[in-house]
Amino acid sequence: MLKLYHTPTSVCSIKVRLGMAEIGLDYESEILDFSKSEQHGESYLQINPDGVVPTLIDDGFVVVESSLILEYLDAYYNDGKLIPKDRKLATTARHWLLRTLAIHSAINTITFSTGARDQILASKTSEEIAASISKMPDPVAQLKRKELLANGLNSAYVNQAFGQLQRAFKDMETALADRKWVTAAEFGISDIALLSYIDRLDRLGFSGLLGDESSKIVGWLARMKARPSYDIAIAQHIPQAVADKTRQAGEKHWPEVERLWTARLGK
């Protein structure tokens, strides 16, 4: 039996759950409570020293990094059906998997400079925040989290994140110009890998970032939401009350996000 360490709302957890739902895999679910810093507990750090989710355990074999987990599951439990057979398209799909590292960083920035920042600052003392950040294994990640909590949307990380998203939106829109799915005519691993990030922006109330020039992505997102895997991997794990709270927290920041994004685009 496969075992998955994950959290209900983390974008990388969602990415892997989507893949497992598309392939039709059952797994033992081990949910970590980030509010209690369980991802930084000694027992979890022994299997994932980075202290992040998800982590897949397959008969004692540990697989980390969500895109690698997707490839692993597709290759060994799905006969590689989610990767195109054409070598050029296959390479393009794997390039998207690599690009999600930068896209993930951008979504992390947008999340922790807006709604998540408000929640953390309202619920924790400065001492508690400092203690929580000190448990993060990566000192650079610590610095980023401190900076985002201190400066919010005024952080330099925000402009960097907008640059990554602007490029990703442009390339996705180009890819979807003459087909329904990102890499090929058939649904595949690129669609699974990208969905959780675009969905997070939508759940934060920031879908306006897509704009009129990203109508193809909007249509793609609707198609992704219509797939059974969306309900299995996302909707069933995120109660409506939590979804509503996330959107309300994000929408408070939309006017400033929109202003900064518009300035970035030179409009």
Side-chain angles (χ1 to χ4, degrees):
M1 170 69 76
L2 298 167
K3 184 174 184 177
L4 184 69
Y5 290 84
H6 62 120
T7 70
T9 59
S10 91
V11 286
C12 290
S13 294
I14 288 170
K15 184 161 66 169
V16 170
R17 292 200 305 263
L18 280 165
M20 298 182 91
E22 287 287 346
I23 296 171
L25 294 173
D26 293 324
Y27 60 93
E28 179 185 348
S29 174
E30 187 72 35
I31 296 177
L32 300 181
D33 188 340
F34 273 26
S35 70
K36 297 179 181 178
S37 295
E38 288 183 352
Q39 76 276 26
H40 299 141
E42 183 178 349
S43 60
Y44 185 67
L45 289 175
Q46 287 179 357
I47 60 172
N48 190 327
D50 290 325
V52 297
V53 289
T55 298
L56 179 75
I57 310 292
D58 183 5
D59 192 25
F61 180 59
V62 178
V63 190
V64 298
E65 295 296 336
S66 56
S67 291
L68 181 60
I69 295 173
L70 279 182
E71 273 208 271
Y72 176 87
L73 293 173
D74 183 45
Y76 298 109
Y77 288 90
N78 195 44
D79 296 325
K81 295 176 183 176
L82 294 173
I83 300 271
K85 300 305 179 187
D86 178 87
R87 62 186 176 85
K88 294 180 181 179
L89 294 179
T91 300
T92 299
R94 292 189 172 95
H95 186 217
W96 274 115
L97 292 181
L98 288 173
R99 288 184 65 180
T100 59
L101 290 169
I103 295 169
H104 176 272
S105 179
I107 296 300
N108 173 274
T109 294
I110 299 302
T111 299
F112 281 95
S113 63
T114 57
R117 176 178 183 264
D118 292 345
Q119 191 276 328
I120 292 169
L121 294 179
S123 63
K124 296 180 181 294
T125 65
S126 58
E127 292 77 14
E128 289 172 331
I129 292 172
S132 177
I133 292 175
S134 70
K135 294 178 182 178
M136 298 171 69
D138 183 352
V140 175
Q142 289 185 25
L143 290 173
K144 178 182 177 180
R145 184 64 55 84
K146 289 177 183 177
E147 213 272 343
L148 289 174
L149 293 179
N151 298 311
L153 287 168
N154 293 318
S155 168
Y157 286 106
V158 172
N159 192 45
Q160 179 193 39
F162 281 171
Q164 289 291 346
L165 293 178
Q166 184 180 2
R167 180 184 166 205
F169 293 165
K170 179 181 178 181
D171 291 346
M172 286 182 68
E173 193 70 11
T174 299
L176 292 164
D178 58 357
R179 56 179 179 258
K180 293 173 58 177
W181 307 111
V182 173
T183 300
E186 298 80 21
F187 174 85
I189 201 167
S190 304
D191 303 289
I192 295 170
L194 289 165
L195 184 275
S196 62
Y197 304 110
I198 305 299
D199 185 70
R200 167 63 66 84
L201 292 175
D202 184 50
R203 286 176 174 273
L204 284 169
F206 298 161
S207 57
L209 292 176
L210 296 173
D212 295 337
E213 62 274 16
S214 299
S215 61
K216 299 294 184 182
I217 300 176
V218 173
W220 169 85
L221 178 60
R223 290 191 292 276
M224 291 296 294
K225 287 184 174 183
R227 297 182 72 86
S229 61
Y230 185 90
D231 182 64
I232 295 169
I234 302 179
Q236 291 182 19
H237 287 265
I238 304 176
Q240 190 59 49
V242 173
D244 292 342
K245 186 177 180 179
T246 299
R247 182 172 292 276
Q248 291 165 6
E251 285 178 341
K252 289 170 47 181
H253 296 276
W254 171 242
E256 181 63 7
V257 170
E258 183 181 33
R259 184 188 72 79
L260 293 170
W261 181 252
T262 301
R264 167 86 194 188
L265 298 180
K267 292 183 178 181

